[in-house]
Every structure is written in C-alpha cells, then in structure tokens.
Amino acid sequence: MEKSALAASPDAYVDGLNGWQKDRVAELRAAVRAAGPMDEVIKWGHLVYLSNGPVCLIRAEGKRVLFGLWRGQRLLDREPKLKAGGQFEMASASLVEGETLDPATVTALTRAALELNAELGDPTKAAKRS
C-alpha cells in the first residue's frame, strides 16, 4: 500500500487496498465486526474500532497487515502471533503475504477486548490515571 490521502470511510480504506492486503484486511474486518457493536472509524490513517475507548485496529502498511488490540497484552495466551509492544497494554499480530489469523480467533480476541473495555474503561484514560 502506498502512502496516499486518508480514506474518507472504512469502506474507502478497504477499497483503496490491492491484492493480498485487501483480502486480509477484509477478512480481519469481518471477524472484528462479528465480535459485537463498535464504532468503526478511520483514525490515524487506518481502521480503528471503538467501544468505551479504542478496542482494536487494522492497518495495511508496506508489506504487512497489522491487527492490534489496545489491551492485547492481557490476551497473549490466546494467540501466539500476538506480540506485546507500545502503550496501553498494546499487542499486535503482524501478517505478511501468505499468513492469516483464524477468523474465529480474531472474533474471540476482539470480544475479549470489548469486555475488558466494558469492565475497565477506556484504556487510553486508564493509562493516564496510572
């Protein structure tokens, strides 16, 4: 994916991708959306899902697709591809061409992250209180 103008909508974001990245983002998007009600927005130039704060993100960049969870460090035992990193207990899985994440696992991870936000509040605000 080349650097370009920000997408006007989540659909436009996916439509602006090509090849395997478009396929992978579409698969991840469907699995995330199956987890429960969230606001789907373009934030920081990629797909972000919000419910009581940010829950997860999907980002196509260079030669990879990233699936990140704000409270993903609490979920590392559920998916070996998740790697801890960043603020707000972030963890993400980096996928290159030919790699996938099981859609049922993505849905379960997203649902767990939704539940954590419901229980603990907005992860970005919780971090500021710490």
Side-chain angles (χ1 to χ4, degrees):
M1 177 177 168
E2 294 179 20
K3 286 265 187 192
S4 60
L6 293 179
S9 69
D11 287 337
Y13 182 84
V14 177
D15 290 343
L17 299 172
N18 296 306
W20 74 269
Q21 285 185 312
K22 184 174 188 169
D23 295 341
R24 201 65 62 244
V25 168
E27 291 166 3
L28 289 168
R29 184 181 186 208
V32 165
R33 292 168 67 167
M38 292 174 282
D39 292 327
E40 180 185 47
V41 300
I42 298 295
K43 192 170 181 91
W44 306 299
H46 52 267
L47 299 172
V48 174
Y49 298 84
L50 306 164
S51 178
N52 202 15
V55 175
C56 63
L57 65 86
I58 301 170
R59 179 173 68 225
E61 57 182 37
K63 296 182 186 249
R64 70 180 186 163
V65 170
L66 195 71
F67 171 64
L69 297 148
W70 262 260
R71 287 204 161 93
Q73 289 180 28
R74 294 176 185 241
L75 307 171
L76 292 173
D77 61 328
R78 299 183 188 203
E79 171 52 56
K81 289 181 183 174
L82 283 178
K83 303 297 179 216
Q87 299 178 336
F88 315 117
E89 299 183 83
M90 285 290 297
S92 59
S94 179
L95 305 173
V96 296
E97 188 169 5
E99 291 184 325
T100 62
L101 283 173
D102 176 57
T105 300
V106 172
T107 300
L109 288 166
T110 305
R111 189 170 292 127
L114 270 165
E115 291 169 1
L116 286 168
N117 275 18
E119 176 186 344
L120 302 172
D122 182 335
T124 64
K125 291 181 180 170
K128 290 177 184 173
R129 288 192 299 265
S130 301

